[in-house]
Amino acid sequence: MKPSFKLDAHPRRPRPLLSEPPAGYFDQLPTRIMARLPQADARETSADWGWLGLLSPALRTGLASVAVLGGFAASFYLSGPPPAGQGAATAAALDAVPHTELVGYLLTSGARVENADLAALTAADPGIANGFLQASDEELTEALDGQPSEDLTYL
């Protein structure tokens, strides 16, 4: 067990004395700091945007909002429409992949596919599972009966 630490039991080291500040240093310090700050008159004459200071704060906020929204609108307008062939080529390439390969990829890849996603897929094409799902009616009934159901109408 460690002995308890008591600060009073340890002697203090002597510190070297700091030099004294010059006489009147702290009395002159605020004036010297204020002298280094830029003057308000010099700031107003050097700025080209001095007329903004004459506007009310609400008008300045509105002007800034119009400038930001105008920038967004100009960027969208100047960017133009997307190339027509790019989206069609991607859709055509995806349509060329057989549905059985897509379903197999989704089931094995670790993508989070839920039952609702598969239900929407089979609703669009009811015969999609015929190529890869060979299960008897008894196996399907057993699997469906094993699913937990919270709604008593399905029991």
Side-chain angles (χ1 to χ4, degrees):
M1 184 168 152
K2 288 177 108 179
S4 62
F5 179 80
K6 294 183 181 176
L7 185 61
D8 295 334
H10 299 281
R12 295 181 74 176
R13 286 188 238 156
R15 286 194 193 172
L17 294 176
L18 300 175
S19 62
E20 293 290 323
Y25 175 77
F26 291 108
D27 296 332
Q28 298 172 358
L29 185 63
T31 355
R32 290 174 57 194
I33 291 175
M34 292 302 287
R36 291 182 185 175
L37 294 176
Q39 299 300 323
D41 297 336
R43 244 185 319 172
E44 287 179 14
T45 57
S46 67
D48 293 336
W49 298 91
W51 58 272
L52 282 175
L54 302 175
L55 299 175
S56 68
L59 193 58
R60 282 185 284 186
T61 303
L63 187 62
S65 300
V66 167
V68 169
L69 290 175
F72 279 127
S75 67
F76 285 126
Y77 177 73
L78 293 176
S79 66
Q86 184 179 9
T90 306
L94 189 58
D95 286 341
V97 178
H99 285 288
T100 55
E101 288 184 27
L102 286 175
V103 171
Y105 170 75
L106 290 174
L107 291 175
T108 59
S109 70
R112 299 207 183 259
V113 180
E114 297 177 357
N115 289 339
D117 299 330
L118 293 176
L121 185 62
T122 55
D125 185 10
I128 194 169
N130 293 342
F132 60 89
L133 183 63
Q134 287 86 26
S136 66
D137 289 338
E138 295 82 23
E139 291 173 337
L140 291 175
T141 305
E142 186 178 316
L144 290 173
D145 287 342
Q147 295 291 323
S149 177
E150 297 174 7
D151 193 1
L152 298 177
T153 58
Y154 296 120
L155 294 177

